[in-house]
Amino acid sequence: QFGRPLADTQHNQFKLAKMATQLVASRSLVRNAARALDSSHPDTVQLCSMAKLFATDNCFEVVNQSLQMHGGYGYLKDYPVEQFLRDIRVNQILEGTNQVMQMLIARSILNK
């Protein structure tokens, strides 16, 4: 951008910091749900639904921001961002859409 690497701008550095935080938070929630599943925790369905909802929505946002930072290059198959976008979008749908995850979470909360 303007003859400088994208990473040199403070705006992009702030975006990267937020994106990295979103990824770490998503991983933590997924790992917590996996531990609950392994230990047959009574809230496994709720925790796994929350993990899928949170992780796929946040990862979509991260990939979308990456695409924005790359501009038109992000759509080219030469760059992995293009594949990440297709992969994360399908993960919001597979194994139950995120709207189904929201229903499962709400039911779990309301049944307590």
Side-chain angles (χ1 to χ4, degrees):
Q1 183 174 9
F2 306 111
R4 295 181 5 204
L6 293 174
D8 283 354
T9 64
Q10 189 178 47
H11 175 74
N12 287 338
Q13 291 170 5
F14 286 174
K15 276 189 178 190
L16 285 172
K18 184 177 179 190
M19 291 160 61
T21 302
Q22 287 175 283
L23 289 175
V24 170
S26 295
R27 285 185 191 126
S28 295
L29 207 56
V30 168
R31 289 178 181 148
N32 184 55
R35 278 191 297 276
L37 184 62
D38 286 345
S39 67
S40 300
H41 191 277
D43 293 330
T44 297
V45 171
Q46 179 183 0
L47 294 172
C48 288
S49 298
M50 287 176 170
K52 181 189 182 295
L53 174 65
F54 187 84
T56 58
D57 280 351
N58 273 287
C59 289
F60 180 80
E61 187 179 326
V62 166
V63 171
N64 197 42
Q65 287 295 323
S66 298
L67 183 67
Q68 187 70 28
M69 290 168 88
H70 281 81
Y73 290 113
Y75 284 106
L76 300 177
K77 288 192 177 204
D78 297 344
Y79 293 85
V81 175
E82 178 265 342
Q83 181 68 46
F84 296 155
L85 182 64
R86 287 189 287 131
D87 290 347
I88 192 56
R89 186 63 186 108
V90 76
N91 279 295
Q92 289 179 306
I93 299 167
L94 292 177
E95 300 296 327
T97 66
N98 282 3
Q99 289 76 20
V100 171
M101 297 302 114
Q102 290 173 338
M103 286 176 23
L104 292 172
I105 295 163
R107 286 180 187 161
S108 179
I109 292 167
L110 294 172
N111 287 332
K112 288 187 179 185

